[in-house]
Amino acid sequence: MVMLLVVLIFLFAFILMRIGYTLYIVNCCSDKPMYVQKSINVLVVLGSGGHTGEMLKIIRALNTVRYSPRVYVVAATDTVSQRRLQDMEKEFKDKAGVADKESLYEVEVVPRSREVGQSWLSSVFTTARAFVFSMLIVFRHRPSLIITNGPGTCVPICIAAFLMRVLCVCQIRIVFIESLCRVLSLSLSGKILYRLVDDFFVQWPQLKEKYPRSIYMGRLV
């Protein structure tokens, strides 16, 4: 019994040290560039409506040959985003002359953490369910890079990626791009993930003044 208690204390202390070390790396050393790879396995989190529109503009600006394969995460009820990204990927394939069987993208569907108007109490259980799905997706694909612009779906995905780093499973760089509509304050997702992501981009100078750790490069979308 004493031995078991010692082991548990050791594991708890180890996890706390790993969390502290990972937070230090994220907040103090995230300016280091990614290890140069021929191709980068990227996971993209899509929201609905404006979130999807902004994110697809960002993906179109990337070198799709280098940033592949691509994994898109969408909410279970978001059929519009799935249709839009499929149309975009078809354009990529037509432009590159790639056959359907050689597709370099995949779509993962996760349950929503919280529906509009859902009570906060019931959202605890739906968020836990979404987190389990997110952990499985991140563990299965182990992307080198995660890109998101703030939909609620991104929170469990980014926390899962952060935990993967804490547990030394894989190193995943997380890039958060705050939505263009956030001028004076961060979104709820942004507030939650501000200290957990490697690169936090804002598109208005007012946010850079309020959140000095953020990166302002003008309008990105």
Side-chain angles (χ1 to χ4, degrees), residues 19-83:
I19 290 175
Y21 175 75
T22 306
L23 283 172
Y24 169 77
I25 293 296
V26 167
N27 287 275
C28 300
C29 306
S30 60
D31 57 336
K32 294 182 179 179
M34 286 185 63
Y35 175 73
V36 177
Q37 299 169 288
K38 187 174 181 180
S39 65
I40 297 174
N41 179 5
V42 59
L43 186 149
V44 180
V45 186
L46 297 179
S48 56
H51 282 294
T52 292
E54 290 184 11
M55 183 52 66
L56 294 185
K57 287 181 181 178
I58 293 168
I59 299 304
R60 286 179 186 276
L62 297 178
N63 181 338
T64 54
V65 174
R66 186 180 183 196
Y67 290 88
S68 66
R70 293 174 292 283
V71 178
Y72 297 94
V73 177
V74 298
T77 55
D78 189 6
T79 56
V80 175
S81 291
Q82 292 189 52
R83 187 170 64 251

Side-chain angles (χ1 to χ4, degrees), residues 3-221:
M3 182 61 70
L4 177 60
L5 183 61
V6 170
V7 171
L8 290 175
I9 292 174
F10 176 80
L11 287 175
F12 182 70
F14 173 76
I15 291 173
L16 282 181
M17 286 190 294
R18 281 295 307 169
I19 290 175
Y21 175 75
T22 306
L23 283 172
Y24 169 77
I25 293 296
V26 167
N27 287 275
C28 300
C29 306
S30 60
D31 57 336
K32 294 182 179 179
M34 286 185 63
Y35 175 73
V36 177
Q37 299 169 288
K38 187 174 181 180
S39 65
I40 297 174
N41 179 5
V42 59
L43 186 149
V44 180
V45 186
L46 297 179
S48 56
H51 282 294
T52 292
E54 290 184 11
M55 183 52 66
L56 294 185
K57 287 181 181 178
I58 293 168
I59 299 304
R60 286 179 186 276
L62 297 178
N63 181 338
T64 54
V65 174
R66 186 180 183 196
Y67 290 88
S68 66
R70 293 174 292 283
V71 178
Y72 297 94
V73 177
V74 298
T77 55
D78 189 6
T79 56
V80 175
S81 291
Q82 292 189 52
R83 187 170 64 251
R84 292 179 69 182
L85 77 88
Q86 287 167 355
D87 290 342
M88 181 187 70
E89 285 290 342
K90 186 176 184 304
E91 290 178 23
F92 292 160
K93 284 189 287 186
D94 290 344
K95 206 174 284 185
V98 179
D100 285 343
K101 64 180 180 180
E102 299 176 47
S103 175
L104 295 176
Y105 83 97
E106 187 176 344
V107 179
E108 292 280 6
V109 179
V110 296
R112 286 189 183 274
S113 299
R114 184 174 183 269
E115 296 285 356
V116 176
Q118 181 180 351
S119 69
W120 288 104
L121 180 61
S122 63
S123 67
V124 172
F125 300 100
T126 54
T127 299
R129 181 167 175 253
F131 180 72
V132 172
F133 273 79
S134 300
M135 284 289 291
L136 293 174
I137 289 172
V138 174
F139 182 77
R140 181 162 62 251
H141 294 284
R142 303 189 189 189
S144 303
L145 175 67
I146 290 178
I147 305 176
T148 181
N149 65 336
T153 309
C154 80
V155 175
I157 288 286
C158 291
I159 292 177
F162 180 81
L163 288 179
M164 292 291 180
R165 291 176 69 168
V166 169
L167 298 175
C168 305
V169 175
C170 55
Q171 295 295 317
I172 305 171
R173 192 178 188 99
I174 307 173
V175 175
F176 185 100
I177 303 170
E178 186 60 278
S179 175
L180 180 65
C181 67
R182 307 306 302 196
V183 180
L184 298 176
S185 63
L186 297 180
S187 61
L188 178 58
S189 300
K191 291 175 181 176
I192 294 172
L193 298 174
Y194 179 64
R195 291 289 180 184
L196 299 182
V197 303
D198 297 278
D199 303 296
F200 194 103
F201 290 91
V202 294
Q203 303 189 60
W204 296 93
Q206 298 93 317
L207 286 178
K208 171 62 179 177
E209 293 174 7
K210 294 175 70 173
Y211 299 93
R213 185 176 175 268
S214 64
I215 304 167
Y216 171 67
M217 297 180 65
R219 182 170 172 174
L220 300 176
V221 296

